[in-house]
Amino acid sequence: MNEQDARFGWLAGLRLERFTGVIALALIILIFGIWTPDTFLTDTTLTAILSAQAITAIVAVAVLVPLAAGAYDLSVGAAVGFTALVCGLLMTDAPHLSPLLAIVATLGIGLLIGAFNGGLVAGLGVNSFVATLGTSSLLIGFGAVCAEGRYVGPFPKGFSNLTAPSPLGIPMVAIYFFVIALLAWYLVEHTPPGRRLYATGSNADAARLAGVRTRAYVFWSLVVCGVGAAVAGILLASSLDSVNETTGGTYLLPAYAAAFLGATQLKVGRFNVWGTCIAIALLGTGIQGLQLVGAKIWVTNLFYGAALIIAVSVAVLIEKGRGRRDRGRAAAAARFGSDDPPPALTEDEPAAAAAGGGDQ
């Protein structure tokens, strides 16, 4: 091996593709720090990013669970808005529940939404795209009936105080997200159910033959997503202090953009919590920087849409490249008469499988 091959081999060994989001985030901070240092490089900007992206981050972690199982929940945005609206109605209209009871009831509604989706997808075998898209339409319709075109609020002070504090200057809603992210990371990465969840999304047939109840994992992943949407809806209602039937729908695209972009970070090709956090930081910082330099409101959707397209494309290209590499190794082994077993499935397959739209 010559010196140049050794140098590039060492660089390849670093696997820098796992940290492209961190590199891009550093470049964004550098660009906007030079462009508008007086407004961008401040504590106010950091607080604004945390406040603006915390709800999106919670929704992104929620959708990450069914994505890891190979399913989609396209109703999550509508579920956030519907649960926020219902939570507000329970406190302001009859029966005028206390904030605590309203929160518990709203979490129950989120669980029912997830169970409904899970029943359609895992029970009846309906494609998750179709099932959850239909649920989204139902929730939008129910929300319009409940709200009757009006804003619901303001809410009791005790409920608004749920997100009002900022300990050490950190928005309370961001602290809720960090706790949720830590819990989700432990459950999906470090427990047997989490490993079976990824096995379901990676290769449902192989997982089923290994004894994994794949349909049950798809069902419960959608239930978890429904409850996560309800948590996001409750925190959204608390932070806004008034909601209507259109609240929450805008969280669908950013959440999926973050989840897929996160699958290109740290554990390339695998939906993972900390990669999603990096994606949220990247997207939020870019949006905040563009807003500070006077970008139009439509730039936000353009930014999220481009990020989602790029993230899905990268996940698919990575999987195709690794598939060619594995086929090359298998061909080489057969050519030289090797008795080595074929390469095992990598942990990268869940993201590529979801990008392909497969259901269990």
Side-chain angles (χ1 to χ4, degrees), residues 144-166:
V145 171
C146 293
E148 298 178 336
R150 61 192 173 97
Y151 275 87
V152 177
F155 305 129
K157 187 173 180 59
F159 182 73
S160 299
N161 287 340
L162 191 65
T163 55
S166 296

Side-chain angles (χ1 to χ4, degrees), residues 137-298:
S137 183
L138 289 174
L139 292 175
I140 292 172
F142 290 149
V145 171
C146 293
E148 298 178 336
R150 61 192 173 97
Y151 275 87
V152 177
F155 305 129
K157 187 173 180 59
F159 182 73
S160 299
N161 287 340
L162 191 65
T163 55
S166 296
L168 301 177
I170 303 174
M172 195 65 198
V173 68
I175 295 177
Y176 291 133
F177 162 68
F178 292 137
V179 173
I180 292 170
L182 188 63
L183 179 63
W185 165 75
Y186 176 76
L187 291 176
V188 301
E189 297 282 354
H190 296 282
T191 65
R195 289 189 286 272
R196 296 186 189 109
L197 183 75
Y198 279 121
T200 298
S202 175
N203 190 323
D205 292 332
R208 192 179 302 111
L209 291 174
V212 178
R213 299 174 59 191
T214 55
R215 288 186 179 275
Y217 277 91
V218 171
F219 175 85
W220 286 109
S221 71
L222 289 166
V223 171
V224 170
C225 188
V227 174
V231 171
I234 291 166
L235 296 177
L236 179 63
S238 175
S239 60
L240 295 178
D241 203 36
S242 67
V243 293
N244 70 352
E245 69 263 27
T246 64
T247 304
T250 57
Y251 288 97
L252 178 64
L253 176 59
Y256 273 94
F260 274 98
L261 184 56
T264 67
Q265 304 301 307
L266 303 183
K267 297 184 177 182
V268 179
R270 178 172 181 165
F271 295 108
N272 65 94
V273 173
W274 302 128
T276 300
C277 291
I278 292 173
I280 287 291
L282 172 62
L283 295 170
T285 303
I287 293 297
Q288 186 68 23
L290 289 170
Q291 290 175 348
L292 289 175
V293 297
K296 301 295 185 181
I297 188 71
W298 50 263

Side-chain angles (χ1 to χ4, degrees), residues 70-164:
Y72 284 88
D73 186 352
L74 299 184
S75 69
V76 67
V80 171
F82 182 73
T83 53
L85 178 64
V86 169
C87 188
L89 288 171
L90 289 174
M91 291 182 291
T92 56
D93 291 2
H96 298 288
L97 297 181
S98 68
L100 179 59
L101 290 177
I103 289 171
V104 172
T106 303
L107 291 175
I109 291 172
L111 188 148
L112 290 176
I113 292 171
F116 180 73
N117 285 332
L120 291 175
V121 177
L124 299 181
V126 181
N127 182 279
S128 62
F129 271 97
V130 177
T132 58
L133 189 61
T135 301
S136 176
S137 183
L138 289 174
L139 292 175
I140 292 172
F142 290 149
V145 171
C146 293
E148 298 178 336
R150 61 192 173 97
Y151 275 87
V152 177
F155 305 129
K157 187 173 180 59
F159 182 73
S160 299
N161 287 340
L162 191 65
T163 55

Side-chain angles (χ1 to χ4, degrees), residues 15 17-18 67-68 198 201-202 259-272 311-312 314-319 322 346-355:
R15 296 191 65 185
E17 72 273 11
R18 297 180 298 163
L67 284 174
Y198 279 121
S202 175
F260 274 98
L261 184 56
T264 67
Q265 304 301 307
L266 303 183
K267 297 184 177 182
V268 179
R270 178 172 181 165
F271 295 108
N272 65 94
V312 173
V314 169
V316 171
L317 289 174
I318 288 172
E319 181 58 26
R322 297 199 176 195
T346 69
E347 67 180 11
D348 305 331
E349 294 196 1

